[in-house]
Amino acid sequence: MTDSPLATATAQILKAEREPGLKPVVKTFFDETTFTASHVVHDPSTKTAVIIDSVLDYEAASGRTKHTSAEQIVAYVKAEGLSVAWQLETHAHADHLSAAPWLQEQLGGKLGIGADIVRVQEVFGKIFNAGTPFARDGSQFDHLFRDGDQFKVGALDAIALHVPGHTPADMAFIIGDAAFIGDTLFMPDYGTARADFPGGDARMLFRSIRRLLSLPDQTRLFLCHDYKAPGRDTFAWETTVGAERAGNIHVYDGAQEDEFVQMRTTRDAKLSLPNLIMPSVQINMRGGHMPEPEENGVSYIKIPINKL
């Protein structure tokens, strides 16, 4: 069976290679506290922009939020004269809170995520006992992307690819020749994302990664996280399909699916949960919005005891 979305993405990337004006400009903002790379992507001809995987600063000890990281994005967008069309989330993150609603207030743009966010909402809605007021239909978002959905960023072609495994709802957004792949791959020297969260699947992750690595070698890949592999002193968040195929320590060309699944499952069993998983998932499954305030006007994060 022909993978039509992949073929469309490949044609789009090759077209951008032939016509440099169809390559997006990418500015990355890296939050060392959560090791998260947020990307501002824009069309150089129309100045239309997309913000991908933004970060809301959160102090776990006090439960207070700040907009320091997001304010850097606002300053850049305004300085460059950009017009924001989309606030995109590659998935419902478990390691940082999204700043998308606040950025929408400052800059506009529709909030989009993968359509399978409804599966994540169903699973975590039960885990956190969110109750009937919490909608599990994705309505907290302006648009739910499905595999192969095409859209425009100014004059640039863009397409969404469903790449589940880390979570059921992970999406890669390919804009021009640049692919924003969330938590699927890390830099070649660090490997791949975990697949042990509820709804995760190591075998599915391997197949999603191989799908991404079927794109042209020159495709620019922008990652959501970096943790500095042993022996590397600087953070990095940009690589290429060719570099990943040649040197990713987990999924290099020739890596076998069964061996990957065994490695990933064994490795994941030894990992601690992310420090901010409790607040992050509860906020991000709501599109970055806080839970409804209680009768005293305060929003609360729940901590399920002995559940996760």
Side-chain angles (χ1 to χ4, degrees):
M1 181 184 296
T2 300
D3 188 336
S4 296
L6 189 67
T8 300
T10 296
Q12 171 186 305
I13 291 162
L14 295 176
K15 181 180 178 181
E17 281 291 307
R18 295 191 302 269
E19 302 179 42
L22 297 181
K23 292 187 176 184
V25 176
V26 182
K27 172 69 173 178
T28 300
F29 296 84
F30 191 77
D31 175 50
E32 290 194 29
T33 301
T34 61
F35 305 101
T36 302
S38 302
H39 309 288
V40 180
V41 191
H42 80 264
D43 168 24
S45 64
T46 67
K47 298 284 190 175
T48 305
V50 170
I51 298 171
I52 302 175
D53 293 337
S54 60
V55 173
L56 176 69
D57 304 298
Y58 177 79
E59 185 182 75
S62 67
R64 299 199 70 85
T65 62
K66 295 190 299 184
H67 302 110
T68 305
S69 297
E71 285 169 351
Q72 296 178 46
I73 291 176
V74 172
Y76 172 78
V77 167
K78 290 183 175 180
E80 295 296 317
L82 306 181
S83 175
V84 175
W86 289 98
Q87 308 273 351
L88 297 180
E89 302 287 353
T90 54
H91 62 294
H93 308 276
D95 40 29
H96 71 272
L97 282 65
S98 170
W102 185 81
L103 285 168
Q104 281 186 298
E105 292 176 1
Q106 310 303 311
L107 302 169
K110 293 187 292 184
L111 177 57
I113 199 167
D116 279 344
I117 186 62
V118 297
R119 294 178 57 192
V120 175
Q121 290 176 329
E122 185 63 33
V123 169
F124 281 99
K126 291 178 180 177
I127 288 174
F128 290 112
N129 198 29
T132 54
F134 171 56
R136 294 160 170 82
D137 57 3
S139 57
Q140 300 87 346
F141 300 84
D142 299 315
H143 186 80
L144 301 182
F145 285 92
R146 300 186 182 279
D147 188 53
D149 280 355
Q150 298 179 58
F151 59 109
K152 301 286 283 189
V153 178
L156 305 182
D157 292 326
I159 187 170
L161 296 183
H162 187 210
V163 287
H166 174 63
T167 79
D170 280 61
M171 300 297 291
F173 296 103
I174 304 174
I175 303 171
D177 71 325
F180 301 86
I181 61 175
D183 289 16
T184 50
L185 285 164
F186 297 133
M187 294 299 291
D189 58 1
Y190 202 88
T192 56
R194 65 194 298 168
D196 61 324
F197 296 147
D201 185 299
R203 192 170 299 279
M204 193 174 291
L205 177 62
F206 182 87
R207 295 175 182 178
S208 292
I209 290 171
R210 295 315 308 177
R211 189 184 190 206
L212 287 172
L213 296 186
S214 298
L215 294 169
D217 280 357
Q218 64 270 34
T219 306
R220 293 186 287 164
L221 299 180
F222 290 88
L223 318 179
C224 189
H225 296 288
D226 186 56
Y227 304 97
K228 290 184 183 175
R232 175 157 55 85
D233 296 327
T234 58
F235 290 110
W237 47 77
E238 181 181 354
T239 181
T240 64
V241 165
E244 293 282 7
R245 291 180 60 176
N248 187 285
I249 59 173
H250 295 164
V251 286
Y252 54 87
D253 276 356
Q256 299 300 304
E257 181 175 316
D258 288 342
E259 293 175 3
F260 173 84
V261 171
Q262 182 177 4
M263 177 280 299
R264 191 69 265 172
T265 303
T266 301
R267 184 184 179 101
D268 289 351
K270 301 175 183 177
L271 296 176
S272 300
L273 289 175
N275 291 335
L276 296 181
I277 187 171
M278 297 299 181
S280 294
V281 174
Q282 288 179 77
I283 302 307
N284 296 336
M285 71 181 187
R286 292 176 164 88
H289 295 281
M290 300 296 161
E292 284 296 315
E294 298 191 8
E295 63 274 6
N296 62 355
V298 178
S299 293
Y300 290 86
I301 298 295
K302 292 182 178 180
I303 306 295
I305 305 300
N306 298 324
K307 179 65 176 176
L308 292 177

